[in-house]
Amino acid sequence: MKIVYFSPIAFSDLKQRPQYFAEMLSNSHQVYYIEPTKRILSYIKNKEFGSQEYNVNINLKIFRCDGRIVLPFRWNVYDIFYLNGIYEYMQLKRIISAADVIIVGFEGWYNVIRRIRNKKII
């Protein structure tokens, strides 16, 4: 089974429940761990550009969206056309289309998953 896990924290941060959960699922399933998007203010501050994708093991892959034009999470109230979610969804489209189950661990991913209709969402 292919699982996409939308996480509240980055995989390389201090190890907590989301990382353990993803590792345990990867023992018997293929897991994509989606890290929170580094938004435009982080790009300006740290000068890190582009999306990131790497493997932890054969069944656990980490992906982070490119957030060059994504506004900070607090400003989502003003994003009436859901442009942030559309930009992130376009980057995640190939991963989501291959998934059997989607697990959402953070409400900040709502704008990305709200248009998904044919998948099991937890």
Side-chain angles (χ1 to χ4, degrees), residues 4 8 10 12 16-17 22 25-26 30-31 36 41 44 46 51 73-75 77 80 83 99 107-108 121:
V4 176
S12 59
Q16 297 177 29
R17 189 174 306 149
L25 285 171
S26 72
Q30 186 176 5
V31 178
L41 295 178
I44 292 169
N46 300 328
S51 62
F73 179 68
R74 288 183 216 120
W75 297 358
V77 176
I80 59 173
L83 297 178
E107 72 274 1
I121 299 176

Side-chain angles (χ1 to χ4, degrees), residues 81-82 86 109-117:
F81 298 113
Y82 303 108
I86 292 170
W109 289 110
Y110 173 74
N111 289 340
V112 175
I113 64 157
R114 69 182 187 82
R115 63 184 48 83
I116 300 170
R117 299 284 183 249

Side-chain angles (χ1 to χ4, degrees), residues 86-100:
I86 292 170
Y87 183 65
E88 290 173 318
Y89 179 79
M90 294 308 293
Q91 295 178 62
L92 295 168
K93 193 174 184 178
R94 69 175 172 83
I95 297 170
I96 292 170
S97 65
D100 298 317

Side-chain angles (χ1 to χ4, degrees), residues 18-65:
Q19 293 99 324
Y20 286 116
F21 187 56
E23 286 178 342
M24 287 175 49
L25 285 171
S26 72
N27 290 336
S28 56
H29 305 289
Q30 186 176 5
V31 178
Y32 256 102
Y33 185 93
I34 311 298
E35 294 182 340
T37 304
K38 282 198 173 179
R39 301 182 181 252
I40 191 158
L41 295 178
S42 296
Y43 280 119
I44 292 169
K45 181 181 171 187
N46 300 328
K47 306 289 189 232
E48 295 178 14
F49 295 102
S51 62
Q52 184 179 17
E53 186 172 2
Y54 62 94
N55 294 342
V56 174
N57 61 40
I58 249 176
N59 286 330
L60 180 57
K61 297 177 183 180
I62 312 301
F63 184 81
R64 181 177 42 210
C65 294

Side-chain angles (χ1 to χ4, degrees), residues 100-104 113-114 116-117 119-122:
D100 298 317
V101 175
I102 296 173
I103 301 172
V104 183
I113 64 157
R114 69 182 187 82
I116 300 170
R117 299 284 183 249
K119 305 287 181 187
K120 293 179 184 176
I121 299 176
I122 300 171

